[in-house]
Amino acid sequence: MSSNVAGRVVCYSVMSPPRRSRREQIISQLLTSVGSLREHNRTVRVVVFWSGPRHGETENRLRSLEAEVVHLGSYEDLLHPYPGGDVLAHYPVLHKYFVLDVVLEDLGTSQLLLIDCDTVFLDDVDKLFQRHADVDLAACAEVGTVRRERSYDPAYLDEEHLARLAESLGGRFVGPINSGVLLLSRKGVEEMAKLRPLLLEITLRLMAGLATSAQASSAQASDFAPVIHLRDRLASGAPEVKGVVPLGFPSSNPWIVEEVALWLALGLTESLTMRDLPSSDAALGGEVYERPRSASTWIIGHYFSVDTELAMRWCRTEQPPHALPQRRPRAAEELPIDPALATSPLLVDHGGFALYEGLFDPDVLAEMTREAREAYWGGQEQALTVRSGGIGRDSHPPRRLVSAGGGDAQDAAYCSPELKAFLEGLCGLEVEATGRRGSVNYYTRTGDFMGLHLDVVQCELVVLTVLQDFSPADDPSGAWELFPGQVGRPLPSVSTGRRERRSIKATPGQSLVMFGGLVPHRVRPVAAGQRRIVSALCFRAGQTAIESPRPAGPDPNN
C-alpha cells in the first residue's frame, strides 16, 4: 500500500433512485468500487456525496471502508435555481457537477478523481494521481469515437456534427471524453465548477433539440423522461423554457446528453490542459472484463451499468464472461425467438449467417446491377440521426442511404423455386418470399451507413447481395458488422466491442444469407467514391412462413 499525498481525493457522487432494484444495483456497484480501491490503498481520502433519502446501512458499510459520506440534499433542490431545473431533475446524472464547490471549500483538494459507481480498481490509485499530476483534466476517450482503438461509429456519435455544434457556439472542438472517470487538478476543479451553469444550459438546449426534432419519435422519447417534460413545457409556452434555443443532438444515445454538454462547455474555455487516460491506466466498457484479472494491467476500469452482471461475475471469478458457462441474461428474454428459428442449422451451426459466392448466375447479377443503377434516380432517401421506436425489431436505427424497389431480373431471382429450395435446405425449415419485389440499398455518398438494428417482422431471413463496390476488398468501409453472440438481446444492451463483432466485407457477386431478425447487425460508413449497391431480398421463415404474405415495399433496414 502506498502512502497518500495530502490533498488527493477520490470522490463519488450518488443519487439514490426511488426504484428499489436500481437503488440496490447502485449500492452494490458503489461498495464493490470502494472495496476494490481499499484493497490497493488504505490511506487515500474517499468521499461519497449522497443525494436523496439517506440509507443508514450503506453509510455504515462505507465508513467501515474508511469512506466519508456527505449529504447534498435533494436533487431537485440542487437544480431548482437554474433555468429548466424542473426538467433537468428528470435526468439523474447531473449531481456530480454540484460536488465541485464543496470539494473546493471543505476538502483542501490538490487533485480530485471524480468517478461513477460502476467502476473497479486493480491497482493503487496513487499511481493514477502521480502519472497525471501535470495536467488539469485526464479522462478516457469516449467509446465509438475516432480516438478509441476500436472503430469509430458515427451512428452512435457523429463527430463532424459535434464539431459544427462547437463552432456554432463560438468554441473549439474537444475530443469526446467519458465523464465516468475524471481526474482533475485543483485548477481543473475550479474551472469545472465555473462551467456548471453553462453546462446545464447546454444540456437543456440539447434536450430541446431532441424534443423538437422530427426524428425524435414519441416512442423514443418515452424512454427518456426529460424529453417528455420539456416537449410539454415547450408546447405550453412555459416562461421558464420559452427562450431555450434548441441544439441538434449528434448521437443516437440520448443518455449521453450530459457528456455532449460537457464537451461543448470545455470547448468554450482555453484555460485547461487535457489528456486522454491510456488503456494502461483506465479500461472502458467491455474492455474491463474482456481478459482475466490476472492478465489485466490497468488501474481503474469503468464498465457500464447495463453490463453490471457481467462485471460483477468477472470480479467474483476473475475470468472474462465469455470463458464462463453462460447463463441467458434476463434482458435477453425480453425479445421473443421463434423456436423453429432457434433450432435452425443456420443459427445452431453457423451463428445465424453464411456468406456465398455465385448464389446467382453471372448474367442475372449483371442485369440486376443494371436495373439497380437505373432505379437509383427514383429512389427514396432514408435519413435518421437518432434511434427511435422500440428495443427490438420495431426499432428504427440511425441511418443515411437511398433505397429503391428492384426490377424484373431481381423479381425473377427473388421468387425462383431454386432460391427457395436452397434457403430451405440451409435453414431446415419452410421459407417464403415476403412479397413479389425486393429492394436495393445505395450507400453512395461519403459516410452513408446503417446503425445497429434487427430486420422488421416478416423479414426473418434476408439475402444481401453486393452488386457494386469500387473499394478494395480489404477496406472495411461499408462492411456488415454482425453480433451473432447476442441473439435475443434488446438493442440498447447489445455490446458492440471488438470481441463480440464479426466484420464481413462482401465483394460484388457475394451474398450474405442471414437471420436478420435475430442477429443484431449494422453497416459501416462508406468511404469517398465507394459507391456500394446492395440487393436485399426478405423472406418469412419459421412460424411466419405459414402466415399469409403481405405486400412488401423497399426495406432499408439492411
Side-chain angles (χ1 to χ4, degrees):
M1 308 293 180
S2 65
S3 60
N4 180 55
V5 175
R8 289 176 174 168
V9 182
V10 178
C11 177
Y12 298 83
S13 181
V14 181
M15 191 189 83
S16 180
R19 187 158 54 93
R20 179 177 177 181
S21 60
R22 177 60 178 146
R23 182 169 63 250
E24 290 176 348
Q25 182 189 53
I26 288 177
I27 290 172
S28 175
Q29 292 172 341
L30 175 63
L31 294 174
T32 297
S33 182
V34 177
S36 67
L37 183 153
R38 284 302 187 211
E39 288 179 21
H40 303 284
N41 187 307
R42 299 296 304 183
T43 58
V44 69
R45 192 171 189 181
V46 177
V47 182
V48 177
F49 288 90
W50 191 277
S51 178
R54 303 181 66 156
H55 197 270
E57 180 182 350
T58 301
E59 291 185 33
N60 291 335
R61 294 180 67 181
L62 287 169
R63 293 191 179 101
S64 72
L65 293 168
E66 300 176 83
E68 304 171 37
V69 180
V70 176
H71 293 277
L72 284 178
S74 77
Y75 188 51
E76 292 79 5
D77 288 345
L78 292 174
L79 288 165
H80 178 73
Y82 295 89
D86 59 332
V87 173
L88 296 175
H90 293 277
Y91 183 39
V93 299
L94 297 165
H95 45 86
K96 71 174 70 175
Y97 298 103
F98 287 87
V99 310
L100 301 172
D101 297 321
V102 183
V103 169
L104 290 171
E105 293 172 3
D106 298 337
L107 300 180
T109 305
S110 62
Q111 282 180 286
L112 173 70
L113 181 63
L114 178 60
I115 57 177
D116 289 350
C117 296
D118 45 358
T119 49
V120 63
F121 289 83
L122 287 188
D123 205 344
D124 188 349
V125 68
D126 266 345
K127 294 181 180 179
L128 204 62
F129 284 117
Q130 293 164 7
R131 293 174 186 175
H132 304 285
D134 60 330
V135 295
D136 297 319
L137 170 59
C140 296
E142 177 64 298
V143 296
T145 60
V146 170
R147 296 181 348 274
R148 296 299 296 181
E149 294 178 2
R150 301 171 190 244
S151 61
Y152 171 44
D153 183 4
Y156 173 73
L157 175 64
D158 186 340
E159 292 192 46
E160 292 183 5
H161 185 181
L162 179 65
R164 292 193 297 271
L165 282 177
E167 183 179 6
S168 72
L169 294 174
R172 61 189 173 90
F173 173 81
V174 170
I177 58 174
N178 185 280
S179 65
V181 177
L182 298 175
L183 181 56
L184 298 159
S185 68
R186 181 168 183 88
K187 178 183 177 182
V189 175
E190 292 171 348
E191 293 301 317
M192 288 277 283
K194 293 177 184 176
L195 285 176
R196 183 177 62 236
L198 178 61
L199 185 148
L200 296 179
E201 176 191 342
I202 295 174
T203 299
L204 189 64
R205 292 182 63 185
L206 289 169
M207 288 181 180
L210 275 173
T212 57
S213 169
Q215 288 84 12
S217 72
S218 59
Q220 182 243 0
S222 67
D223 292 327
F224 193 55
V227 169
I228 299 173
H229 291 272
L230 185 53
R231 180 180 290 153
D232 292 343
R233 290 300 182 92
L234 291 169
S236 66
E240 63 271 23
V241 295
K242 192 172 183 179
V244 175
V245 179
L247 287 173
F249 190 60
S251 172
S252 60
N253 179 9
W255 281 100
I256 67 166
V257 167
E258 160 260 332
E259 287 191 332
V260 177
L262 173 62
W263 310 332
L264 293 171
L266 288 171
L268 292 167
T269 177
E270 298 282 352
S271 59
L272 293 180
T273 56
M274 297 177 60
R275 173 185 299 155
D276 285 346
L277 288 172
S279 57
S280 56
D281 286 346
L284 187 62
E287 299 168 354
V288 173
Y289 47 79
E290 69 180 359
R291 302 173 67 192
R293 288 182 65 175
S294 60
S296 300
T297 57
W298 40 264
I299 297 171
I300 184 173
H302 172 35
Y303 59 93
F304 301 138
S305 285
V306 70
D307 291 328
T308 295
E309 182 180 350
L310 295 178
M312 293 300 183
R313 194 186 315 164
W314 177 84
C315 288
R316 292 191 302 267
T317 65
E318 302 189 3
Q319 291 293 323
H322 58 86
L324 303 171
Q326 293 295 301
R327 179 172 66 84
R328 188 171 180 81
R330 182 180 303 173
E333 296 173 0
E334 296 178 17
L335 297 184
I337 297 177
D338 183 344
L341 301 184
T343 58
S344 166
L346 180 60
L347 184 63
V348 175
D349 298 333
H350 302 285
F353 66 96
L355 187 66
Y356 291 93
E357 182 93 37
L359 188 58
F360 299 102
D361 183 85
D363 291 338
V364 173
L365 276 174
E367 184 60 19
M368 288 170 61
T369 303
R370 186 193 64 77
E371 291 176 345
R373 288 171 176 161
E374 289 184 356
Y376 175 80
W377 304 107
Q380 178 181 1
E381 181 173 16
Q382 306 287 336
L384 190 61
T385 59
V386 179
R387 179 180 300 281
S388 64
I391 61 174
R393 301 178 70 179
D394 54 347
S395 174
H396 303 289
R399 57 186 180 264
R400 192 183 76 165
L401 70 156
V402 171
S403 181
D408 293 341
Q410 189 198 55
D411 291 348
Y414 186 20
C415 300
S416 70
E418 293 80 10
L419 181 59
K420 172 181 168 67
F422 171 80
L423 295 175
E424 290 184 338
L426 174 64
C427 299
L429 45 82
E430 188 172 356
V431 168
E432 291 288 346
T434 302
R436 303 294 301 179
R437 169 147 290 185
S439 61
V440 181
N441 294 328
Y442 305 85
Y443 301 89
T444 56
R445 299 163 298 182
T446 304
D448 278 0
F449 75 103
M450 172 68 69
L452 186 70
H453 67 284
L454 296 168
D455 292 341
V456 296
V457 176
Q458 294 207 1
C459 186
E460 283 70 39
L461 183 69
V462 64
V463 178
L464 302 173
T465 304
V466 178
L467 302 178
Q468 174 183 292
D469 193 327
F470 296 146
S471 67
D474 59 354
D475 181 349
S477 301
W480 291 300
E481 290 187 337
L482 280 55
F483 303 90
Q486 301 188 67
V487 169
R489 294 198 72 173
L491 290 171
S493 66
V494 170
S495 177
T496 57
R498 182 181 300 166
R499 177 175 58 81
E500 296 89 353
R501 183 171 64 229
R502 289 291 305 274
S503 183
I504 298 177
K505 178 62 180 292
T507 56
Q510 292 184 326
S511 301
L512 175 67
V513 181
M514 174 176 58
F515 277 142
L518 294 182
V519 179
H521 57 286
R522 64 189 180 191
V523 179
R524 287 175 60 96
V526 296
Q530 185 169 358
R531 307 291 192 271
R532 187 172 175 87
I533 302 176
V534 179
S535 163
L537 305 178
C538 286
F539 295 84
R540 295 175 293 120
Q543 196 64 34
T544 64
I546 62 176
E547 299 174 357
S548 299
R550 63 181 183 182
D555 172 24
N557 285 9
N558 288 297

